[in-house]
Amino acid sequence: MRRFPLSTSTDPEPRSLADLETPCALVDLDRLAANLDRMASYTVLHGLALRPHVKTHKSPRIAAQQMGLGAVGLSCATPRELEVMSEVSRDLLLAYPLLGAPRLSRVLALPDEVRLTVALDSMIAIDQLAHTARAVDRPVDVYIEVDVGMRRVGVQSADEALALAMHVQSKPPLRFAGLTFYPGHIREPVQQQEANLGQLRSRLRGLLDRFQAAGVEVRAVSGGSTPAAWRMHEIGGVTEVRPGTYVYNDRTTAALGACGWEDCALTVLGTVVSTAVSGQAVVDTGSKALGREPMRGAEGEGFGALLDRPDVVVQRMSEEHGILDLSRTDWRPSVGDQVRIVPNHVCIVVHLNDTIYGVRDTQVETSWPVSARGREGVRGGRG
Ligand SMILES: Cc1ncc(COP(=O)(O)O)c(C=O)c1O
């Protein structure tokens, strides 16, 4: 019986797109470099600390590039992201409430050299964190999360934020380090965000005034999604930003006007597998390659669009089939042709892949693992 080795490949290294088995994820290395540079330059220009969110790339290689361009540290959403990224940065933020003994003990077992900050919005989360931090004798910085309009997580008033901050201060080895917010509701084109930015400005002003009146120092104010990042310097008090999507961008980010189409660095490479039904072509990029993500807050139908023909969209999907709508184009692909699809939401696509291929034009130059995907523990802990 023929055996299939699970972890080693005897295939020669892929060189051109035609050598790659589809579906797979490609990153245009020039676009990636330009995206990394643009955000790093913006934050340097405006004196903002950059703490990029790694959930988009989940890759130490790109995190190292971000650190090399001046990031002060990294933002993570999961314990595995923290564990993988502790190899790259000694300053990690868990931008997600941390609850439950299994997660708490795992996160607090990060190497001692890591300065750990946790964002939270409840007394229960503070008490659980303080209990575990005390048990393992580890200082932990805490950001209090405030809701500035997205209505996802975050306390609703300055009084609640202050009460949580004072509770943190009463629970060493926890330390109150600042406030955090995620402006995920700001999804207008960058030049049309004025109304939402105005509300954000006065909301933060009220919060900071309340803390000042109480004599509680707010050392950091952390905010900034990709669509709102470019205007965070206009919000007094914000000290750091946490964009994630900007490294690769996607169809939604382009439709929102927070990047150009030419800034979309990640595409899913697919192969046309059928043209048997008229008016459409079927590619091998279904929902297990593209994710079933809508264009959240942005114009556009379907689940992705062709890089070189944005008017051709993936209109329907099965798990392994994507149906390209050919009704608005003269283009008629042949079975076997390759296509590159810009996904609606890139972060979901990345976590569906083990490997990313780095390309320039049609040449495959390199590849890297999506090391922080999944939930498995990376290693045993504090050293
Ligand atoms: C808490 C938090 N911070 C930062 C980000 C990064 O935002 P974006 O994906 O718009 O770059 C996210 C994204 O989900 C987030 O949830």
Side-chain angles (χ1 to χ4, degrees), residues 95-160:
Y96 195 89
L98 177 57
L99 287 155
R103 267 198 171 213
L104 277 152
S105 50
R106 183 172 168 188
V107 168
L108 268 64
L110 285 170
D112 278 331
E113 318 81 77
V114 173
R115 173 187 167 232
L116 175 65
T117 306
V118 173
L120 48 74
D121 69 358
S122 68
M123 292 285 182
I124 294 174
I126 294 170
D127 290 343
Q128 290 194 7
L129 183 59
H131 178 80
T132 313
R134 242 176 242 157
V136 301
D137 191 23
R138 175 178 198 131
V140 181
D141 282 349
V142 175
Y143 281 171
I144 304 300
E145 177 113 32
V146 292
D147 176 26
V148 293
M150 189 187 184
R151 302 195 65 74
R152 184 173 70 175
V153 292
V155 295
Q156 300 296 306
S157 71
D159 282 348
E160 284 174 275

Side-chain angles (χ1 to χ4, degrees), residues 153-232:
V153 292
V155 295
Q156 300 296 306
S157 71
D159 282 348
E160 284 174 275
L162 186 59
L164 290 183
M166 292 173 99
H167 195 54
V168 169
Q169 284 180 326
S170 73
K171 298 256 170 181
L174 304 191
R175 303 180 295 218
F176 170 63
L179 299 174
T180 184
F181 65 91
Y182 178 59
H185 62 297
I186 303 184
R187 297 184 76 74
E188 298 82 21
V190 176
Q191 296 316 321
Q192 296 166 28
Q193 296 173 347
E194 205 47 58
N196 266 327
L197 293 177
Q199 281 175 6
L200 177 56
R201 222 173 264 125
S202 54
R203 182 98 171 79
L204 277 185
R205 188 67 272 142
L207 277 154
L208 293 174
D209 286 349
R210 184 77 188 83
F211 274 72
Q212 193 178 21
V216 177
E217 191 195 358
V218 180
R219 283 186 282 130
V221 178
S222 175
S225 60
T226 291
W230 306 107
R231 298 195 62 181
M232 278 300 110

Side-chain angles (χ1 to χ4, degrees), residues 12-341:
E13 280 294 298
R15 288 263 162 264
S16 71
L17 298 188
D19 296 329
L20 291 173
E21 179 181 330
T22 64
C24 63
L26 311 179
V27 163
D28 182 307
L29 296 168
D30 293 328
R31 291 182 181 199
L32 168 63
N35 292 344
L36 291 169
D37 270 346
R38 198 178 308 119
M39 188 62 80
S41 305
Y42 164 79
T43 52
V44 168
L45 180 67
H46 295 291
L48 290 166
L50 177 60
R51 186 185 289 282
H53 206 307
V54 305
K55 53 122 199 176
T56 303
H57 56 70
K58 290 182 178 268
S59 149
R61 169 178 170 148
I62 295 176
Q65 286 179 272
Q66 291 172 314
M67 295 301 296
L69 288 167
V72 297
L74 301 168
S75 304
C76 300
T78 69
R80 185 175 172 92
E81 287 175 3
L82 287 169
E83 288 165 356
V84 170
M85 296 306 158
S86 68
E87 298 283 337
V88 181
S89 170
R90 297 285 181 240
D91 193 337
L92 300 179
L93 165 67
L94 179 61
Y96 195 89
L98 177 57
L99 287 155
R103 267 198 171 213
L104 277 152
S105 50
R106 183 172 168 188
V107 168
L108 268 64
L110 285 170
D112 278 331
E113 318 81 77
V114 173
R115 173 187 167 232
L116 175 65
T117 306
V118 173
L120 48 74
D121 69 358
S122 68
M123 292 285 182
I124 294 174
I126 294 170
D127 290 343
Q128 290 194 7
L129 183 59
H131 178 80
T132 313
R134 242 176 242 157
V136 301
D137 191 23
R138 175 178 198 131
V140 181
D141 282 349
V142 175
Y143 281 171
I144 304 300
E145 177 113 32
V146 292
D147 176 26
V148 293
M150 189 187 184
R151 302 195 65 74
R152 184 173 70 175
V153 292
V155 295
Q156 300 296 306
S157 71
D159 282 348
E160 284 174 275
L162 186 59
L164 290 183
M166 292 173 99
H167 195 54
V168 169
Q169 284 180 326
S170 73
K171 298 256 170 181
L174 304 191
R175 303 180 295 218
F176 170 63
L179 299 174
T180 184
F181 65 91
Y182 178 59
H185 62 297
I186 303 184
R187 297 184 76 74
E188 298 82 21
V190 176
Q191 296 316 321
Q192 296 166 28
Q193 296 173 347
E194 205 47 58
N196 266 327
L197 293 177
Q199 281 175 6
L200 177 56
R201 222 173 264 125
S202 54
R203 182 98 171 79
L204 277 185
R205 188 67 272 142
L207 277 154
L208 293 174
D209 286 349
R210 184 77 188 83
F211 274 72
Q212 193 178 21
V216 177
E217 191 195 358
V218 180
R219 283 186 282 130
V221 178
S222 175
S225 60
T226 291
W230 306 107
R231 298 195 62 181
M232 278 300 110
H233 64 286
E234 298 174 38
I235 309 296
V238 172
T239 62
E240 93 180 7
V241 289
R242 304 183 313 274
T245 303
Y246 79 99
V247 290
Y248 294 151
N249 291 313
D250 53 26
R251 187 170 170 233
T252 306
T253 310
L256 292 171
C259 73
W261 190 249
E262 65 288 353
D263 303 320
C264 292
L266 187 143
T267 50
V268 179
L269 182 69
T271 301
V272 177
V273 295
S274 172
T275 56
V277 178
S278 66
Q280 66 182 42
V282 181
V283 287
D284 55 1
T285 59
S287 58
K288 285 184 173 168
L290 286 177
R292 190 171 286 283
E293 292 286 287
M295 293 281 281
R296 197 164 58 87
E299 291 280 311
E301 57 180 30
F303 301 101
L306 296 194
L307 179 68
D308 53 358
R309 300 172 196 278
D311 52 332
V312 178
V313 304
V314 179
Q315 193 179 42
R316 292 180 289 127
M317 291 184 300
S318 308
E319 289 173 49
E320 302 289 354
H321 301 77
I323 317 298
L324 293 180
D325 173 18
L326 301 183
S327 64
R328 285 185 295 247
T329 175
D330 296 338
W331 175 67
R332 290 292 172 268
S334 302
V335 170
D337 286 353
Q338 287 187 331
V339 293
R340 290 175 70 174
I341 298 168

